Amino acid sequence: MADVLLDDVSRVYPDGSAAVSHLSLHVRNAELMVIVGPSGCGKSTVLRLIAGLEPLKSGTISIGGRVVNNLTPGDRNVAMVFEAAALYPHLTAAQNLRFGLALRKLPAEEIRQRVEAETRVLRLGRFLDRKPKTLSAGQRQRVAVGRATVRVPDVFLLDEPLTHMDAGERIRLRTELAHLQQGLGVTAIYVTHDQSQAMAIGDRVAVMRGGRIEQLDEPRTLYRRPANTFVASFMGEPAMNLVAGYIEQDAGRTFVVLGGQRLPFPGTPSGLLRGRTGPVTIGIRPEHVTDAGSEPGLPVLFSSAFRVERLGYELLVACPINATAVTVSDTPGIERLPGGQAHLIARFPRTHPVRRGDRVELAVDVSELSLFDPDTGQALWNPAA
Ligand code: ADP
Ligand code: MG
């Protein structure tokens, strides 16, 4: 039973680079917290600070109400699993599982029970007598997870544990990890650069960029109510469309100008949007732009199909519009045509006959728009939760 508290934590490497800056984070007891962000944003450094593998420059880390700043890794009762499982190559899977428990001089019967429970949960039965080099990446990683959790740590730290697996194995094992964590009731912090893993398993997700947390929320809130354009474009696949547009007021009504066309703003601009006119960044997810024939009654944009991707369960159609694409650094990126013209990525019904080069009419669900400050990227408006 332990919550984890990081209070104003910073880490500067000897070469002067600040990997983590004034970061505060409260991970609740038994929660699965995911830290997600682009490569180099400081995720691994955060985990290594919690584990005690790196010194803090400033700030406080507490586990279960106890300040651990000056405790060695061994005294923190945390277990960590890295990207590439570091198993003892000369030991079998079973011996790897038992190793840490035997070192702690636990009674043989207790070791047997714990290893048996891990074997069952992680489906390791068939591999117990095999050495690591004869196991697949996914099987090795399951043994590593078993070894880390067999002694039931207060906090379980996972650093990109699924990176070296194929897609199917990754999805299976992420689900198993989440089950194992719930079953053990252990607090877990899971680091990944992959937003789909974060969305799938996180109770809450902290989105990091440049050594800081940009937003911490439940997955659905991050997706629906992003705090800024970075979170908006990082979470979701394909990314949220971000294009330059305007807010206009006319005869007491508010309009969003998207691609040179005026769309009525549904509802009353409040909060940061109250009374605001002029340039904004418009964010709209692909599922809220579709073929007008399938969604009658919504405002329509005229465009053409620049590219069509048939994904089986849906169609993604890239449609150029008369607006400039807004790019955000550190994200996989928004697609642009030469000259900076934006594409809207639209989701069409999977049976739609559209082909490359066809003219299309796009229905835009304006009640699902997000609007951002074009200078700071901060959210001005998000759809209701
Ligand atoms: P992530 O896990 O998100 O990819 P890291 O925590 O590994 O990021 O690294 C954060 C930043 O700190 C990066 O810019 C990285 O280059 C830098 N960094 C990491 N380790 C060291 C080190 N030992 N010395 C200097 N800089 C480092
Ligand atoms: Mg890392």
Side-chain angles (χ1 to χ4, degrees):
M1 298 286 278
D3 59 351
V4 178
L5 190 63
L6 276 68
D7 185 16
D8 200 21
V9 161
S10 296
R11 164 70 171 134
V12 178
Y13 282 106
D15 66 1
S17 60
V20 174
S21 300
H22 300 287
L23 183 136
S24 294
L25 173 68
H26 181 202
V27 186
R28 299 171 188 146
N29 179 45
E31 177 174 40
L32 176 52
M33 170 71 76
V34 177
I35 301 180
V36 70
S39 177
C41 72
K43 306 179 296 294
S44 295
T45 304
V46 170
L47 280 199
R48 294 170 57 81
L49 288 169
I50 296 169
L53 302 172
E54 307 242 358
L56 287 168
K57 172 169 180 278
S58 57
T60 308
I61 298 179
S62 320
I63 298 176
R66 180 175 66 143
V67 174
V68 298
N69 284 27
N70 297 318
L71 294 187
T72 63
D75 289 335
R76 297 189 184 198
N77 200 22
V78 300
M80 190 152 168
V81 171
F82 298 95
E83 186 174 322
L87 296 173
Y88 299 109
H90 56 289
L91 299 182
T92 63
Q95 289 165 337
N96 266 285
L97 284 178
R98 276 186 224 117
F99 189 80
L101 298 176
L103 270 189
R104 282 163 192 250
K105 303 213 180 356
L106 287 183
E109 177 56 19
E110 190 175 343
I111 294 182
R112 196 190 62 73
Q113 282 177 10
R114 287 208 200 170
V115 169
E116 196 182 282
E118 289 289 333
T119 302
R120 204 171 46 241
V121 175
L122 290 164
R123 296 182 294 117
L124 296 174
R126 286 186 298 123
F127 322 130
L128 281 180
D129 296 326
R130 285 164 56 178
K131 301 236 170 108
K133 68 170 185 298
T134 71
L135 301 173
S136 76
Q139 292 161 350
R140 277 201 298 274
Q141 205 61 318
R142 276 164 36 204
V143 176
V145 167
R147 193 181 57 178
T149 48
V150 74
R151 59 186 177 81
V152 192
D154 285 336
V155 184
F156 187 25
L157 305 173
L158 296 137
D159 193 350
E160 311 258 13
L162 309 184
T163 298
H164 295 296
M165 293 174 199
D166 60 44
E169 203 165 34
R170 200 179 300 141
I171 289 174
R172 272 199 306 282
L173 192 49
R174 83 179 181 205
T175 312
E176 278 173 28
L177 285 176
H179 277 148
L180 177 69
Q181 180 264 341
Q182 279 165 15
L184 292 171
V186 64
T187 310
I189 308 178
Y190 183 110
V191 157
T192 178
H193 66 280
D194 175 0
Q195 61 85 31
S196 68
Q197 286 179 44
M199 295 290 287
I201 64 168
D203 290 321
R204 291 189 301 158
V205 176
V207 186
M208 275 188 80
R209 169 161 75 159
R212 296 170 191 274
I213 293 177
E214 297 274 320
Q215 187 173 1
L216 194 170
D217 260 309
E218 292 180 11
R220 60 177 173 183
T221 311
L222 287 177
Y223 188 78
R224 216 171 146 68
R225 300 182 56 80
N228 52 48
T229 49
F230 173 73
V231 176
S233 56
F234 195 79
M235 305 303 290
E237 169 64 39
M240 182 186 268
N241 297 294
L242 291 174
V243 300
Y246 295 88
I247 294 287
E248 288 180 3
Q249 307 276 352
D250 191 5
R253 293 174 58 198
T254 306
F255 296 88
V256 179
V257 182
L258 172 62
Q261 295 176 65
R262 250 185 175 195
L263 311 174
F265 184 78
T268 313
S270 57
L272 292 172
L273 201 61
R274 188 194 305 277
R276 185 172 173 128
T277 55
V280 287
T281 295
I282 301 171
I284 180 130
R285 297 222 176 258
E287 56 268 36
H288 301 131
V289 185
T290 191
D291 164 49
S294 339
E295 281 289 338
L298 290 175
V300 171
L301 287 181
F302 297 93
S303 181
S304 59
F306 180 80
R307 195 183 61 241
V308 178
E309 291 180 358
R310 297 187 175 274
L311 300 182
Y313 56 97
E314 67 179 355
L315 272 180
L316 293 179
V317 186
C319 307
I321 58 165
N322 186 18
T324 307
V326 172
T327 52
V328 181
S329 64
D330 284 347
T331 63
I334 310 294
E335 186 177 0
R336 291 218 264 186
L337 295 175
Q341 190 190 5
H343 270 149
L344 283 185
I345 305 291
R347 288 196 148 126
F348 275 34
R350 82 193 139 73
T351 52
H352 198 286
V354 63
R355 290 171 180 277
R356 181 182 154 85
D358 286 354
R359 297 186 54 74
V360 294
E361 296 185 6
L362 300 175
V364 179
D365 188 350
V366 275
S367 67
E368 298 287 342
L369 290 179
S370 293
L371 299 173
F372 303 93
D373 186 306
D375 299 320
T376 65
Q378 294 304 302
L380 302 168
W381 176 268
N382 273 311

